[in-house]
Amino acid sequence: MKQYLPHKTPHSERFTPFLEQGKTQRPLYRGLFNYIQQRILSAELPAGSRLPSSRELADLLSLSRNTVKQVYEMLQAEGYIETRHGDGSYVSPQLTLSRRTTQRSPGPHTRPIRLSAKSEQLEQIRPLYQQHKQQLLLPAVPALDQFPWQQWQRSVTHASRGMKFHTERDFMGEAALRTEIAAYLTATRGIHCDMRQVMICSGSQQGMQLAFSMLLNPGDRVLVEDPGFPGIDGAISNAGGIKLSIPIDRNGFRTDIALHHQQDARLAFITPSRNFPMGYTLSLERRLQLLEWARKQGCCIIEDDYDSEFRFDGPPLTALQGLDGEHSVIYSGTFSRILHPAMRLAYLVLPPALVDPFNRMRGFMDGGLSALPQLALADFMARGIFSSHLRRMRKLYKTRRSYLLQQVTQIFNGQLRWEPSDGGMHGVFLLPPGIDDKTIVEQTMKVGLGIRPLSYYYDKQPARSGLVIGFGGYDEARIDAGLALLKPILEHHLKS
């Protein structure tokens, strides 16, 4: 049986909401299409019911008939309605839809999507802090106002012209950028590699995800520093690995604990140049012990070269990979902290034996990255702009660190004790015993500060209370403004 909508009044009632609200959407045909689509999906226009003719609906809504005809054609193309020659348009009889709300929230009978066991494991891991550009004294933020934008735009323009007939795709990344990175690392970090060993990633996190998925089986153990970067926890968990937190001291990763008691570990993830967040450097003796362990056990070391470029008291130290670690060390670096956080480009330097397996996995993983930013960065490096910018930032950050230390000493009168480090983009300041750094940071975030609690970076080891204060991206005026916001909050806790 045909279901006819009554000819006059119900038509008006059905489309009154569109007359009041739908006409505000542009273009009009899209607004009318969405309106009718939702009425059909909610079963307000039931299957088999007749729609007004295009002329009738156009007159009712004060629209052109062509607009209504276009809407009906779209509805028919997507299967919502069917047109019967000489008899008008009908809601498709095949649509057996139960009446439901048109709201986007799930209804009472909607079953929730089931997540995997891996996703449930991630819920147990420390959540990462969200970064906001308006926050002051946020760690790991570069001096964005000092970035050579005109030079970068020139490189982007050069790269876009070169892409005109660029059809090659290499899962490892653009050859031009990989060549520049290999030359840079050989000259500045003592790394032994050629461009064939360099893989470009969309960020250090992606590199870690790939490395752990390639090197770990479920249940394999990974040695990590404690305190350390919490972002690595999710990558280890996702690969089914088990994290073994090893304490550090002023000489870095405690190899006396890690290597003597954890011989069954499959992998070590460390930051030998500068531990995050403490800034400690791994001693030469421990570096050699770690390399010897990797060779004897057939294990791999992932060297995250965090902030190695910003060593203020001399040139960067030789990377662990350069100390005869070419066959057992995966070296990881990133451009987001050197240049710009939005520049999601990082890289891995792989041991020769891992190049083919990683290349094969990368093809299945994402098929490689966009060529334009890679080619732009390659030109940026080839013209010497990258190295020049790096030298300027090293001097600038050293000046900003000195100013921060000076101001903290004057304002807080020794109640914040600096933990010495030879470089970086943030400072660690220890609080007096009994002061809860997390409570302080919760309050500072409310006033626009990006300071982080030191205790957040500890896992199994007894946490020290302190504040991780960024200075790299802030001039003297903004450092002063940030410390002025911190002062009353900290004084309140110190007096309590």
Side-chain angles (χ1 to χ4, degrees):
M1 293 289 293
K2 298 179 182 178
Q3 296 186 29
Y4 287 93
L5 297 179
H7 185 63
K8 292 290 185 182
T9 304
H11 281 184
S12 301
E13 293 177 352
R14 300 270 183 164
F15 291 94
T16 297
F18 179 77
L19 286 168
E20 296 175 350
Q21 302 172 6
K23 280 195 172 184
T24 62
Q25 183 173 339
R26 293 294 185 270
L28 285 175
Y29 77 87
R30 174 56 65 177
L32 181 57
F33 171 83
N34 290 341
Y35 179 83
I36 299 177
Q37 176 195 51
Q38 293 305 311
R39 301 290 80 72
I40 294 174
L41 290 175
S42 65
E44 291 179 38
L45 293 175
S49 59
R50 187 178 187 276
L51 296 178
S53 69
S54 59
R55 186 184 302 277
E56 179 185 357
L57 188 57
D59 291 342
L60 177 65
L61 301 179
S62 299
L63 297 174
S64 72
R65 189 182 179 193
N66 285 339
T67 297
V68 177
K69 289 176 67 177
Q70 182 181 7
V71 170
Y72 278 13
E73 289 171 359
M74 292 169 61
L75 291 167
Q76 184 177 5
E78 294 194 19
Y80 292 107
I81 68 173
E82 61 180 33
T83 300
R84 303 173 187 175
H85 184 68
D87 196 19
S89 299
Y90 292 79
V91 177
S92 177
Q94 287 76 32
L95 293 177
T96 55
L97 299 169
S98 60
R99 190 173 185 84
R100 65 172 180 86
T101 177
T102 57
Q103 295 178 353
R104 298 306 184 194
S105 57
H109 302 296
T110 301
R111 290 187 179 183
I113 297 174
R114 290 177 293 180
L115 299 176
S116 69
K118 284 185 178 181
S119 66
E120 294 177 355
Q121 291 174 3
L122 291 176
E123 292 183 0
Q124 310 303 318
I125 296 175
R126 289 172 290 179
L128 299 177
Y129 277 100
Q130 297 294 317
Q131 296 190 358
H132 304 284
K133 65 179 182 179
Q134 67 271 21
Q135 290 180 323
L136 292 172
L137 307 184
L138 186 66
V141 173
L144 303 183
D145 59 331
Q146 299 296 315
F147 186 76
W149 287 109
Q150 289 185 344
Q151 299 281 7
W152 174 251
Q153 289 168 0
R154 176 181 170 183
S155 292
V156 171
T157 300
H158 175 82
S160 63
R161 290 172 180 163
M163 282 183 61
K164 186 174 182 180
F165 301 106
H166 184 83
T167 58
E168 298 177 4
R169 185 179 66 164
D170 192 323
F171 298 147
M172 296 287 286
E174 293 298 323
L177 178 56
R178 293 159 60 204
T179 299
E180 291 296 331
I181 291 174
Y184 163 73
L185 294 177
T186 300
T188 63
R189 306 294 290 114
I191 286 181
H192 303 298
C193 74
D194 59 40
M195 61 84 66
R196 292 171 294 183
Q197 295 171 248
V198 178
M199 171 180 280
I200 309 301
C201 305
S202 65
S204 56
Q205 285 291 95
Q206 187 196 44
M208 293 307 100
Q209 291 279 3
L210 176 60
F212 289 138
S213 67
M214 289 293 292
L215 298 173
L216 294 178
N217 291 314
D220 284 344
R221 298 184 173 189
V222 183
L223 303 174
V224 300
E225 299 162 321
D226 191 3
F229 176 55
I232 204 65
D233 295 0
I236 294 175
S237 175
N238 191 53
I242 298 174
K243 186 179 67 170
L244 298 177
S245 298
I246 306 299
I248 63 171
D249 59 22
R250 291 185 181 275
N251 289 316
F253 188 70
R254 291 281 303 274
T255 53
D256 58 324
I257 296 176
L259 307 186
H260 293 170
H261 302 288
Q262 308 293 350
Q263 295 291 344
D264 58 344
R266 182 76 174 269
L267 182 66
F269 176 87
I270 61 170
T271 54
S273 293
R274 179 169 295 103
N275 164 266
F276 184 84
M278 301 306 298
Y280 301 149
T281 299
L282 186 64
S283 68
L284 177 59
E285 179 184 6
R286 293 183 181 179
R287 290 171 183 243
L288 297 176
Q289 290 173 350
L290 197 58
L291 288 170
E292 182 68 13
W293 165 79
R295 281 192 292 265
K296 287 185 176 180
Q297 300 295 323
C299 298
C300 186
I301 301 167
I302 297 180
E303 176 181 12
D304 182 6
D305 210 20
Y306 179 80
D307 271 0
S308 66
E309 298 86 359
F310 302 125
R311 183 169 182 260
F312 304 146
D313 303 324
L317 301 174
T318 301
L320 189 65
Q321 196 268 10
L323 297 175
D324 196 27
E326 179 181 355
H327 298 285
S328 55
V329 175
I330 296 176
Y331 179 92
S332 172
T334 180
F335 293 100
S336 61
R337 284 186 292 269
I338 301 175
L339 299 177
H340 197 287
M343 191 174 294
R344 303 302 302 163
L345 287 176
Y347 55 88
L348 300 177
V349 178
L350 302 168
L354 297 184
V355 170
D356 287 342
F358 272 62
N359 184 38
R360 187 164 51 250
M361 171 62 85
R362 182 64 180 279
F364 291 112
M365 181 178 177
D366 62 14
L369 305 178
S370 172
L372 181 60
Q374 296 183 67
L375 295 175
L377 182 54
D379 179 76
F380 195 73
M381 297 179 75
R383 291 192 294 120
I385 310 303
F386 173 79
S387 296
S388 175
H389 177 69
L390 193 55
R391 287 192 296 270
R392 290 194 303 111
M393 292 305 97
R394 190 179 295 121
K395 294 178 182 178
L396 178 65
Y397 295 161
K398 182 177 181 179
T399 300
R400 291 183 173 181
R401 184 189 68 170
S402 298
Y403 185 78
L404 175 66
L405 296 180
Q406 170 190 310
Q407 294 303 98
V408 167
T409 301
Q410 292 180 359
I411 295 172
F412 299 105
N413 195 27
Q415 292 175 309
L416 279 180
R417 181 166 60 85
W418 177 53
E419 187 70 2
S421 171
D422 66 357
M425 299 169 66
H426 70 264
V428 172
F429 297 86
L430 300 178
L431 289 162
I435 303 297
D436 182 8
D437 57 0
K438 290 183 179 179
T439 300
I440 292 175
V441 167
E442 286 177 1
Q443 296 175 3
T444 62
M445 291 179 68
K446 294 178 181 178
V447 298
L449 294 179
I451 294 171
R452 300 295 184 239
L454 177 60
S455 62
Y456 166 74
Y457 299 99
Y458 283 82
D459 184 25
K460 302 298 183 183
Q461 309 307 315
R464 302 168 76 181
S465 182
L467 302 177
V468 182
I469 302 179
F471 57 80
Y474 309 98
D475 58 19
E476 294 182 359
R478 290 197 289 173
I479 289 175
D480 288 340
L483 294 179
L485 294 171
L486 173 62
K487 183 179 179 180
I489 295 173
L490 187 56
E491 287 180 342
H492 172 76
H493 286 271
L494 292 172
K495 291 177 182 178
S496 301

